[in-house]
Amino acid sequence: SQWLKTALRLFRTHDRLALLGAYRGRMDDGLRTKESSNQNDGSKFGAEHDKDRETRPIVHVDATLGVPFAWMYKVNMGPLLARRSHFLSSGGFHLGFSCPGEMAQGFDYEMSIRVWREGLRVGLFDPLWAHRIDQHSNKELGHKQRHRDIQVATATAAKDEATRRNNKVLYNMYRGFHHHKGTKL
């Protein structure tokens, strides 16, 4: 499909690009930490910016390919593409971010931070596709039926707790780098 071809072209164009998100990303440029998530309240960019008041569009356009693209401190899974050589040499996903059967919250941010710390780069592009499509009707669910609205309360609470815990872990794992040095890259 076209979005995957575009992603592969971005990897070929930017030789230091090791990780590429195709949904949303964050810059830890905020002045405070959100207590609800133990996360810096920084700028959020990416897809569906018109449906989320916190998300801004990717305004930079890659000069070579003509697609919305920006360097980003942290990118979200869904989808997340990695340069195979770096993924394997860096040890892949950190397995400590969830136990079997639990939602893995923060593994995508951990890998993003690790990539920057290793001197490589993380990018974000918008594949310009429709998000949140119902698998049965093939219709867009829209903002009102996002994942938090259709999950049961216990699953949402477990996800939120894992997010708080794992974001706090990132500060210990990358002490002195995350987010103070990392955001200035």
Side-chain angles (χ1 to χ4, degrees):
S1 102
Q2 189 58 41
W3 74 269
L4 187 54
K5 289 177 184 176
T6 300
L8 294 173
R9 287 173 52 210
L10 284 164
F11 276 108
R12 284 192 296 272
T13 302
H14 303 284
D15 61 343
R16 292 184 59 213
L17 177 62
L19 194 63
L20 181 62
Y23 183 54
R24 290 193 178 150
R26 287 185 169 274
M27 297 298 287
D28 282 3
D29 56 2
L31 300 176
R32 65 183 184 91
T33 298
K34 291 169 67 173
E35 289 184 32
S36 62
S37 63
N38 285 332
Q39 178 172 261
N40 181 277
D41 191 19
S43 304
K44 187 172 159 183
F45 297 90
E48 297 189 304
H49 55 85
D50 56 331
K51 297 177 182 176
D52 180 356
R53 62 181 173 77
E54 293 181 357
T55 303
R56 301 176 193 171
I58 303 169
V59 295
H60 177 74
V61 174
D62 183 85
T64 304
L65 302 178
V67 297
F69 173 78
W71 300 115
M72 199 62 45
Y73 183 51
K74 300 182 294 193
V75 291
N76 291 96
M77 179 71 179
L80 182 67
L81 298 99
R83 190 178 296 270
R84 184 176 192 269
S85 58
H86 179 265
F87 184 79
L88 295 174
S89 69
S90 71
F93 294 124
H94 193 292
L95 300 179
F97 279 80
S98 69
C99 293
E102 288 183 350
M103 291 177 259
Q105 297 297 307
F107 72 94
D108 42 8
Y109 284 2
E110 186 280 326
M111 184 166 229
S112 299
I113 298 165
R114 186 171 5 131
V115 164
W116 282 109
R117 192 184 71 174
E118 292 174 359
L120 297 170
R121 293 185 169 225
V122 176
L124 175 68
F125 88 110
D126 187 347
L128 304 175
W129 65 41
H131 295 270
R132 296 186 183 99
I133 303 297
D134 180 75
Q135 63 183 346
H136 303 292
S137 68
N138 208 27
K139 293 181 181 177
E140 190 172 358
L141 292 172
H143 185 62
K144 291 184 179 179
Q145 293 186 28
R146 59 192 183 142
H147 64 88
R148 295 183 67 82
D149 299 329
I150 58 177
Q151 289 175 346
V152 295
T154 54
T156 299
K159 176 183 177 271
D160 291 347
E161 179 53 35
T163 298
R164 280 189 294 278
R165 178 189 66 231
N166 291 343
N167 279 332
K168 192 172 184 178
V169 166
L170 290 174
Y171 285 95
N172 290 323
M173 287 177 71
Y174 297 103
R175 192 177 307 273
F177 183 84
H178 173 62
H179 66 269
H180 301 288
K181 289 183 182 174
T183 294
K184 294 176 183 157
L185 298 171

